Amino acid sequence: MTGGALSIAIVAAIAIAIILGYKTGINTGLFCIFFAYIIGCFVMGLKPSQIISFWPINTMFVILSVSLFYNFAALNGTLEKLSGALLYSCRKFPGMLPFALFFVAVALSIMGATFFTVLAFLAPITLVICEEAHMDKLTGAVAINAGALAGGNFPTSNLGVIFRGLADNAFESHAELTAPDTFGMEMKIFIYAVIFSLILVAVFRFGLPSNWNIGKGVTFKKPEPFDKKQRQTLTLMIIMMIVLLAFPILKMIMPSNATIKNLNSKIDVGLVGIIFAVIALMMKLAPQKEAIAKVPWNTIIMIAGAGMLIAVAVEAGTVNAMSSWISSNVPVALVPIAFSIVGAVMSFFSSTTGVVAPALFPLIPALASSTGLSAAALFSCTVLGAQSSAISPFSSGGSLVVGSCTNEDERVPLFNRLLLIAVPVSVLLCACFNYVITTML
């Protein structure tokens, strides 16, 4: 089977797995593992051990550990009371709740929290707020996901630093071209990301009929004080957030300090989550059996199984095929839209910072020179396009949102709505947005 035919077959397998899961009620991840094995071993010639190694251990571990810790807060009523307090603070403008959640996520990301850390902290609280405020959970998920990504694009934040470095590297092999000021370029990307995200959140806030009654019929009572166990749980949540934020912020302030750099490299959201879950168990903040039982095992299988099939797609060269095709087959007028959509599709299969940006950024300097398009604008199209599909339940952020859903009956519908509504709307709207900003520059 040729490379192009193989890539098409893998994309078709992903679509078939989703359809079969939806129609039969069988976990989609199991179908994905089935196709990963058949295609990987019997078509591509990979070893079974390679297929098994594609199981995304890191993603599974983080969902397990973070959900386990927050299960204590859910079981003893801390999350419900905390969401009630946040809801009460917005009692005079409940319709603006999605935007309030968005800006909280932006602020946390700018402060240095990684995308996954922000989602891990906000997703459980957001879903409870949605329930109590009569707000569509899809809107809440889009708001915090977009906010975490937009804030991460700030020039000194985790994503911003990576993109600036990749842009500098892209111009190193083109000494004849004038490289842009990457700090200023990244600041533009940050601003564009905030503007696009606000438009996206507004589309979901005002476009979904289920959001038209946000706050209506809700009694905005001042929440009762936290009891002893809830105060202890809230204290642990705050300490955990400080631990996850402190060292990235210190590294940003003192980048040359070797001790801080070393300590920051040792901080992992999954392992930190386990530590705080153990502390919560020792403090008897909730029964161990119930906390473990509420871990979203069904979601973990769904996300991990899909990750295996996507890893097979990467191994098959699907991502590389997309990046080479765009450089030779796209008309100039459609280049911004192409970079946006291809970035989104590639990001659906792989990491934005690890695959998409390194694959597409090197194409931009020469392409910008030959077409007269702004290099900064094309960098922006690539970043925003890639991030537009990050709400997918197959991605780290989307999977954590699904994993944070405590209602078992709502997880699969939420998974499907993220995949079939949130992703297409975000990707298409982002392509239009990128076309507009490119023609303006």
Side-chain angles (χ1 to χ4, degrees):
M1 185 178 291
T2 63
L6 180 59
S7 294
I8 293 173
I10 293 174
V11 172
I14 294 172
I16 293 171
I18 294 170
I19 294 171
L20 288 175
Y22 180 76
K23 292 289 186 180
T24 65
I26 298 173
N27 193 304
T28 301
L30 297 176
F31 286 113
C32 288
I33 296 172
F34 170 84
F35 285 121
Y37 176 48
I38 297 300
I39 296 174
C41 286
F42 299 101
V43 177
M44 296 173 58
L46 300 177
K47 295 180 180 179
S49 59
Q50 287 180 275
I51 303 299
I52 295 172
S53 70
F54 290 154
W55 180 274
I57 296 174
N58 186 63
T59 299
M60 174 185 173
F61 182 73
V62 172
I63 296 175
L64 164 66
S65 60
V66 171
S67 64
L68 177 61
F69 173 67
Y70 279 102
N71 282 346
F72 291 94
L75 288 168
N76 64 26
T78 303
L79 278 184
E80 183 178 354
K81 198 162 286 185
L82 181 59
S83 64
L86 292 174
L87 190 61
Y88 182 75
S89 67
C90 294
R91 62 192 179 280
K92 294 182 180 179
F93 46 91
M96 294 294 104
L97 267 172
F99 299 99
L101 290 168
F102 167 77
F103 282 113
V104 169
V106 170
L108 290 174
S109 286
I110 290 177
M111 289 168 62
T114 63
F115 170 69
F116 210 95
T117 300
V118 176
L119 267 293
F121 180 70
L122 288 181
I125 299 171
T126 297
L127 294 182
V128 176
I129 289 177
C130 290
E131 189 75 35
E132 297 188 358
H134 300 167
M135 182 169 76
D136 194 300
K137 289 182 172 64
L138 197 64
T139 303
V142 167
I144 59 174
N145 180 82
L149 289 170
N153 288 329
F154 195 73
T156 55
S157 293
N158 47 81
L159 297 178
V161 171
I162 293 173
F163 294 141
R164 286 168 57 194
L166 289 173
D168 284 330
N169 291 338
F171 271 91
E172 283 183 0
S173 58
H174 296 276
E176 74 282 3
L177 301 177
T178 303
D181 170 24
T182 53
F183 186 94
M185 178 201 76
E186 192 60 35
M187 181 59 75
K188 288 182 179 179
I189 293 177
F190 166 70
I191 294 171
Y192 294 149
V194 170
I195 295 172
F196 164 69
S197 298
L198 288 173
I199 295 172
L200 181 65
V201 173
V203 167
F204 280 91
R205 161 62 183 90
F206 298 106
L208 295 177
S210 50
N211 282 324
W212 294 351
N213 293 316
I214 291 180
K216 292 183 179 180
V218 178
T219 303
F220 293 98
K221 293 181 180 179
K222 188 173 182 179
E224 295 181 5
F226 292 90
D227 61 29
K228 182 179 178 181
K229 284 191 174 182
Q230 291 168 346
R231 288 196 302 272
Q232 292 173 333
T233 304
L234 184 60
T235 300
L236 285 182
M237 291 170 64
I238 294 172
I239 294 174
M240 178 176 166
M241 196 62 191
I242 291 174
V243 169
L244 293 173
L245 277 175
F247 292 103
I249 293 174
L250 288 173
K251 182 186 176 185
M252 185 173 64
I253 297 172
M254 297 178 285
S256 59
N257 189 298
T259 301
I260 291 176
K261 185 177 181 180
N262 181 58
L263 288 172
N264 182 62
S265 68
K266 306 295 184 184
I267 300 298
D268 178 84
V269 64
L271 293 171
V272 170
I274 288 292
I275 289 175
F276 279 86
V278 171
I279 295 172
L281 282 170
M282 295 179 68
M283 295 174 68
K284 301 184 185 303
L285 298 182
Q288 172 182 286
K289 186 175 181 180
E290 293 181 33
I292 294 177
K294 286 179 68 67
V295 170
W297 301 108
N298 190 58
T299 301
I300 288 174
I301 293 173
M302 187 184 301
I303 301 304
M308 291 177 70
L309 183 52
I310 289 171
V312 170
V314 173
E315 188 73 19
T318 303
V319 172
N320 291 333
M322 289 179 181
S323 61
S324 60
W325 178 86
I326 191 175
S327 63
S328 57
N329 293 280
V330 179
V332 174
L334 298 180
V335 166
I337 295 178
F339 265 82
S340 182
I341 293 179
V342 171
V345 174
M346 290 173 66
S347 181
F348 190 89
F349 287 92
S350 54
S351 164
T352 298
T353 54
V355 176
V356 182
L360 294 183
F361 272 28
L363 305 177
I364 291 176
L367 191 61
S369 177
S370 62
T371 61
L373 296 171
S374 166
L378 291 180
F379 282 127
S380 180
C381 288
T382 304
V383 171
L384 297 187
Q387 292 179 346
S388 67
S389 62
I391 191 60
S392 163
F394 292 151
S395 71
S396 55
S399 65
L400 193 53
V401 170
V402 176
S404 298
C405 185
T406 57
N407 188 330
E408 185 69 32
D409 294 333
E410 292 184 356
R411 281 182 187 147
V412 173
L414 181 59
F415 179 98
N416 292 331
R417 295 182 74 214
L418 286 172
L419 183 64
L420 303 177
I421 298 176
V423 172
V425 170
S426 179
V427 170
L428 293 176
L429 185 62
C430 186
C432 296
F433 179 82
N434 280 332
Y435 180 78
V436 171
I437 64 171
T438 306
T439 54
M440 290 172 57
L441 297 175

